[in-house]
Amino acid sequence: VDLREWSTIRPSGRGNYGPALDLAEKVLKLKGSNCALSLLFISDGRPSDRGKFGARVGALAQLYRRRLTICCIGMAQDEDFSVLNDMVTEAQNYGAVASFHKPLLDTQSLSNIMTSFATSLTLSKTELTHSGSGANKVVKDVLPERKGAPDDECVTDEWKVYGNHGQDQYVRRIWSWSYVKNNFVHLKDSRCIHCYEECVTTFSVSCGRKMGLSCPHCQSCMLCMDCMETSDHVQSKACYRSLKDARIGQMVYIDLPSFSVALKTPIFEEGAERIVHKFRFLDERGNFVGRKMVAKESRFVEEEGSYQQRMDYHREFMRTQALASEFAKKFNAALDSLVSHFDEEYHSWLQKMPRITFLEPFVIEVIDGGEEFNRLVEPMLEGTYEKFNNNMGYVKGQSKSVAGPRNDLGLEAIEEEDEDGDDAEEEEDMFHANEHEPITCLYQDVDDRHFPQAFSHYSYVMSKKQLMVVDLQGVVEDAAEGGKRYVLTDPVVHKRRKRRINKLRNWTFGRTDRGERGMSAFFHTHKCSDVCKLLGLQEQITSEAE
């Protein structure tokens, strides 16, 4: 007996889609910008009420972005769920966490969906809570760009320009990072120190820049020909300061397209900690020049306090990425050195193995309406963005979960060891001086997908088990010799709390550093491939990292 009578009975009367969205809009307006909300829609087909539900969900997502989680479940096999799919698509277009599911009509299938939904809500709540105090964090009130929107070919009203001629909006200075100094260093400015006009030392009618010369004393500051005669810079305090900065490596030269830039106000992407804007350099005519860039800043209002707080926020990112880059150089050098262990017939095979690189970010400091702001800028990665592993044991393409007791998110606080303990090592060199010999095997499992995991393992061994680089994410590009190259950004560094090397005492890597627990989580899911064996890396007992 078909009690449901699917073929003859259809929904009638007012449905609940519209009232549910009315209530969601009301709740979000009451709670404000530190609220996270999850919406669950369970339907057996097309709704009986009418409305532009996709557009309404898109408007909610535009305001609340990843703080909004929407789960739509279609509880029938042959019904029209186009409205639910449209709602999910519009939510995703503006950065909300949204999904559509069509489960089997059994309790286990539905239970799995509800568990995933609950985890997403818990994650949103965790992102909005201070790990130490438990207080709510306030998200910046910014609008997102619609996903898939075409790139602008020129500056529009959505872009904020920091030009050389602006009185209220201009670039003050640009900072890079010195791995050796473990600190910021500022870039040599190509603009005249008086009029802020871009200068060139070789005349070109087409470039639109003034002719200029470096200061004859400090050789670090530019003077345009118009300001040269009246300038009192030579041998001034500023001149001697620039001379000193250049000599001690506090001022460096990096070839940038210009010191005139533009930032798109609607955000391009949003993560748990940062929001991302599109960013471009401008030539003297205000046109985009150079490659596409992105500018990153904190997602939260609280971390936009004083100038020093903003610089400290970028400091850990710059230090982490610079250290990861140093490990990558050593990893690539280790791969290059393998030719000395193999016959010549294998050299081409070795040269085609993937190498790993990290983007080199810098911090641009701007004046905007009389106030200083700084944003971290790096090249935009083109291609399919992927996460290859994370900071708590996830491995791309591997379903095995992290073993051992922990909460669902692995975000418990880690107790810091006493910095004055007796277990600190005295040696300052954090890297092993010698590479390991390859482990003899058939090398039948040297697959490109194993290189990110091997790199994380390598960073642990080469740092004498003091550090580990994880959360590897980015794109895979074609490289020379027919090989591939992993171009990565936003890594995480785990630092051992026990038996520390003295050099690392004051090196911090942010809240994503899980210490020994993160290292242990990595080895719970890591199975050494032949790539590890090529690099002479041994299987690790999990307790060694704990």
Side-chain angles (χ1 to χ4, degrees), residues 220-265:
S220 301
C221 300
M222 291 295 295
L223 294 163
C224 73
M225 302 307 292
D226 293 340
C227 296
M228 180 74 75
E229 295 182 2
T230 60
S231 174
D232 58 356
H233 170 76
V234 179
Q235 295 188 340
S236 66
K237 288 184 178 179
C239 180
Y240 278 104
R241 186 166 57 249
S242 296
L243 178 61
K244 178 183 177 181
D245 285 349
R247 284 178 174 173
I248 66 175
Q250 191 59 37
M251 179 188 294
V252 297
Y253 174 76
I254 296 179
D255 186 20
L256 295 179
S258 75
F259 271 66
S260 183
V261 302
L263 178 140
K264 192 167 186 178
T265 305

Side-chain angles (χ1 to χ4, degrees), residues 7-282:
S7 61
T8 59
I9 296 179
R10 286 291 179 266
S12 62
R14 181 172 174 80
N16 292 316
Y17 281 53
L21 291 175
D22 291 339
L23 185 58
E25 292 166 351
K26 183 178 179 180
V27 168
L28 288 173
K29 288 177 182 177
L30 288 173
K31 291 291 184 180
S33 59
N34 62 341
C35 171
L37 180 69
S38 292
L39 299 178
L40 175 64
F41 288 86
I42 302 178
S43 176
D44 60 358
R46 179 180 289 275
S48 56
D49 50 347
R50 297 291 180 264
K52 297 180 179 180
F53 302 124
R56 290 185 64 183
V57 168
L60 281 175
Q62 191 173 18
L63 289 173
Y64 296 96
R65 311 185 308 271
R66 64 181 285 132
R67 287 177 291 130
L68 180 65
T69 303
I70 295 179
C71 178
C72 295
I73 303 175
M75 294 295 293
Q77 295 303 316
D78 300 312
E79 293 295 328
D80 182 0
F81 295 113
S82 58
V83 174
L84 291 183
N85 277 300
D86 185 41
M87 291 164 59
V88 167
T89 299
E90 283 300 301
Q92 292 173 341
N93 282 337
Y94 291 105
V97 180
S99 58
F100 172 75
H101 305 274
K102 194 174 178 183
L104 299 174
L105 297 179
D106 60 57
T107 56
Q108 184 60 49
S109 181
L110 187 59
S111 175
N112 292 339
I113 295 170
M114 297 303 292
T115 299
S116 176
F117 179 58
T119 300
S120 296
L121 179 58
T122 304
L123 179 59
S124 296
K125 183 178 179 180
T126 303
E127 290 176 1
L128 299 174
T129 305
H130 281 284
S131 58
S133 65
N136 289 338
K137 295 194 286 187
V138 180
V139 177
K140 290 179 181 176
D141 186 14
V142 291
L143 294 177
E145 180 182 52
R146 183 182 176 88
K147 290 187 183 299
D151 287 333
D152 296 321
E153 296 183 0
C154 60
V155 172
T156 67
D157 292 340
E158 291 185 321
W159 291 76
K160 184 172 285 189
V161 174
Y162 300 94
N164 298 328
H165 310 291
Q167 296 292 324
D168 297 323
Q169 293 179 186
Y170 61 92
V171 175
R172 183 178 181 184
R173 63 171 67 92
I174 302 179
W175 301 91
S176 183
W177 185 263
S178 168
Y179 169 75
V180 174
K181 292 179 174 294
N182 186 35
N183 208 346
F184 288 106
V185 292
H186 61 93
L187 271 57
K188 181 177 180 180
D189 201 329
S190 61
R191 299 170 297 180
C192 173
I193 61 170
H194 293 298
C195 67
Y196 273 67
E197 293 280 357
E198 293 268 3
C199 296
V200 291
T201 55
T202 303
F203 181 71
S204 173
V205 176
S206 62
C207 75
R209 299 183 181 182
K210 283 187 174 184
M211 185 71 180
L213 295 172
S214 294
C215 168
H217 184 250
C218 69
Q219 295 291 316
S220 301
C221 300
M222 291 295 295
L223 294 163
C224 73
M225 302 307 292
D226 293 340
C227 296
M228 180 74 75
E229 295 182 2
T230 60
S231 174
D232 58 356
H233 170 76
V234 179
Q235 295 188 340
S236 66
K237 288 184 178 179
C239 180
Y240 278 104
R241 186 166 57 249
S242 296
L243 178 61
K244 178 183 177 181
D245 285 349
R247 284 178 174 173
I248 66 175
Q250 191 59 37
M251 179 188 294
V252 297
Y253 174 76
I254 296 179
D255 186 20
L256 295 179
S258 75
F259 271 66
S260 183
V261 302
L263 178 140
K264 192 167 186 178
T265 305
I267 62 173
F268 170 58
E269 291 287 354
E270 181 178 25
E273 297 288 332
R274 284 181 281 268
I275 53 177
V276 184
H277 299 264
K278 290 181 178 177
F279 186 92
R280 297 299 300 267
F281 287 100
L282 303 176

